[in-house]
Amino acid sequence: MSALEGVRVLDMTHVQSGPSATQILAWLGADVVKLEAPTGDITRKQLRDVADADSLYFTMLNCNKRSITLNMKSEAGKEIFTRLVAESDVLVENFGPGTVDRMGFTWDKLREINPKLIYASIKGFGDGPYTHFKAYEVVAQAMGGSMSTTGFEDGPPLATGAQIGDSGTGIHTVAGILAALLQRERTGEGQRVSVAMQHAVLNLCRVKLRDQQRLAHGPLREYPNAEFGDEVPRSGNASGGGQPGWAVRCKPGGDNDYIYVIVQPQGWAPIANLIGRPELIEDPDWATPEARLSKLDKMFSMIEEWTLGHDKWTVLAALNEHNVPCGPILSTKEIIEDASLADNDMIVSVDHPERGEFKTVGCPIKLSDSPVHVQRSPLLGEHTAEVFRDRLGIDESELAELKANGVI
């Protein structure tokens, strides 16, 4: 049995933040019906690599869902939508602020149609001066604290490759939906779930807000920066935690021939031995974490002198033999070809009727009694007849009339 078996989700989302949330729900067993305009989710045609086939952008965010089409500008479309809402558990949307209201479906109206409905909305920002601003992935990173603290101190702010604004918000939305479903078990009532992209990024940047407050008491000694002002600086590859870390180069010196090494107190002795500097184990200038804090750059330079003589996999093995936390920098090519990720169903091969086999990311949430089976994304409107027949009792003649009138 799947964890969310029997939960019906009406998915009005598009692009990434919303579809990433509803895909998690679908992976966990919910029946997710993706409601699309007759033209389809815009990402079906964006960044195409195969002509006349749904893009990877779309297929990798919409697995395990069913697709229906509906023209919400028509009265017949609104009537069908009303019927779908009445028998759904969850409605998810990530339109611009007020879009669903302007369709005639305010929260009060939706709650009137279905008092048990959980209505989840993803927006760029919360209430206030930014409410109606357009938000994209990197806009959320810019305004949520990520970009100002990412990069090196002598360089510009940088975006992270991880989609913390979109997919990060999606995960936060899943948490809200699951909490609301659990509360409904006790109260019998639905509720509104709202998540802003800026807020989700800020939550993921909380350690930088921690450090902003620590600045009031002096420089952040674990940072590699020479000078500090009144805001948290960009700190390169510093770990951001209580133990110093850095990415050091390895042989043969390619773009991703690096390994990230963290130096815990108990890790200093084995590291000193590995790099050929055993005398530093007892040297009072190096023996303690406090002594090393003032010269982290020199410490990692010495470590790098050793790592440059070995490839990152050799360094990984040597450090792990002594329980030193570390991790090689894996390129996207290495990740997509990683056998362990495939064995853990995190890189999954999926067959698609238009584009053939493609690889996608599997479900990162593992439940012991509810395994996830990744299924391909739906073709546009593939399940319209099925859903309308089984849920709404609409027969073939009515379907033909709806199609002729441009409703589906």
Side-chain angles (χ1 to χ4, degrees), residues 129-292:
Y130 311 138
T131 300
H132 296 284
F133 287 11
K134 286 187 175 180
Y136 286 81
E137 166 66 44
V138 183
V139 172
Q141 289 191 32
M143 298 182 69
S146 177
M147 288 188 71
S148 68
T149 56
T150 302
F152 288 85
E153 62 180 328
D154 58 350
L158 295 176
T160 174
Q163 303 289 281
I164 61 175
D166 277 324
S167 288
T169 303
I171 289 292
H172 283 77
T173 305
V174 169
I177 290 169
L178 295 180
L181 282 169
L182 181 61
Q183 183 170 336
R184 192 181 69 175
E185 291 296 309
R186 297 194 293 266
T187 67
E189 297 180 357
Q191 63 180 299
R192 189 80 185 267
V193 175
S194 300
V195 183
M197 295 170 66
Q198 182 192 29
H199 298 172
V201 172
L202 176 58
N203 184 46
L204 296 173
C205 291
R206 67 174 61 215
V207 297
K208 299 303 181 181
L209 269 291
R210 172 202 68 192
D211 292 346
Q212 176 63 37
Q213 297 171 85
R214 291 174 60 224
L215 272 174
H217 304 286
L220 306 173
R221 297 180 63 205
E222 74 282 3
Y223 277 56
N225 307 68
E227 298 180 0
F228 291 88
D230 60 358
E231 56 192 27
V232 175
R234 291 185 277 282
S235 56
N237 286 320
S239 69
Q243 311 297 335
W246 201 257
V248 292
R249 292 176 296 166
C250 297
K251 183 181 180 180
D255 288 347
N256 291 297
D257 288 319
Y258 286 80
I259 189 166
Y260 197 87
V261 180
I262 292 177
V263 182
Q264 296 176 312
Q266 66 271 30
W268 177 241
I271 288 174
N273 281 320
L274 283 170
I275 67 176
R277 300 296 300 274
E279 73 278 7
L280 299 181
I281 297 174
E282 302 296 336
D283 187 330
D285 289 336
W286 291 95
T288 65
E290 291 75 18
R292 294 190 292 270

Side-chain angles (χ1 to χ4, degrees), residues 211-398:
D211 292 346
Q212 176 63 37
Q213 297 171 85
R214 291 174 60 224
L215 272 174
H217 304 286
L220 306 173
R221 297 180 63 205
E222 74 282 3
Y223 277 56
N225 307 68
E227 298 180 0
F228 291 88
D230 60 358
E231 56 192 27
V232 175
R234 291 185 277 282
S235 56
N237 286 320
S239 69
Q243 311 297 335
W246 201 257
V248 292
R249 292 176 296 166
C250 297
K251 183 181 180 180
D255 288 347
N256 291 297
D257 288 319
Y258 286 80
I259 189 166
Y260 197 87
V261 180
I262 292 177
V263 182
Q264 296 176 312
Q266 66 271 30
W268 177 241
I271 288 174
N273 281 320
L274 283 170
I275 67 176
R277 300 296 300 274
E279 73 278 7
L280 299 181
I281 297 174
E282 302 296 336
D283 187 330
D285 289 336
W286 291 95
T288 65
E290 291 75 18
R292 294 190 292 270
L293 268 180
S294 62
K295 40 187 173 289
L296 293 179
D297 55 344
K298 187 174 182 179
M299 180 183 73
F300 284 111
S301 290
M302 289 191 298
I303 295 173
E304 189 172 77
E305 288 175 10
W306 168 67
T307 59
L308 279 170
H310 310 277
D311 65 55
K312 60 189 179 185
W313 301 107
T314 301
V315 175
L316 175 68
L319 291 175
N320 270 282
E321 188 175 343
H322 298 282
N323 293 316
V324 175
C326 62
I329 308 304
L330 298 185
S331 70
T332 50
K333 183 176 185 296
E334 288 172 318
I335 286 173
I336 206 167
E337 295 174 352
D338 190 296
S340 68
L341 291 174
D343 290 343
N344 281 275
D345 293 324
M346 284 309 303
I347 298 294
V348 183
S349 295
V350 180
D351 286 318
H352 190 276
E354 293 180 342
R355 63 177 301 117
E357 186 178 87
F358 69 95
K359 290 186 178 181
T360 189
V361 177
C363 183
I365 303 168
K366 310 296 185 184
L367 302 181
S368 62
D369 294 338
S370 307
V372 172
H373 304 288
V374 176
Q375 302 168 8
R376 69 166 174 87
S377 59
L379 302 178
L380 179 61
E382 180 177 352
H383 303 95
T384 302
E386 176 182 289
V387 172
F388 283 19
R389 180 187 64 243
D390 295 346
R391 290 198 182 182
L392 307 181
I394 295 176
D395 60 26
E396 293 299 326
S397 62
E398 289 180 278

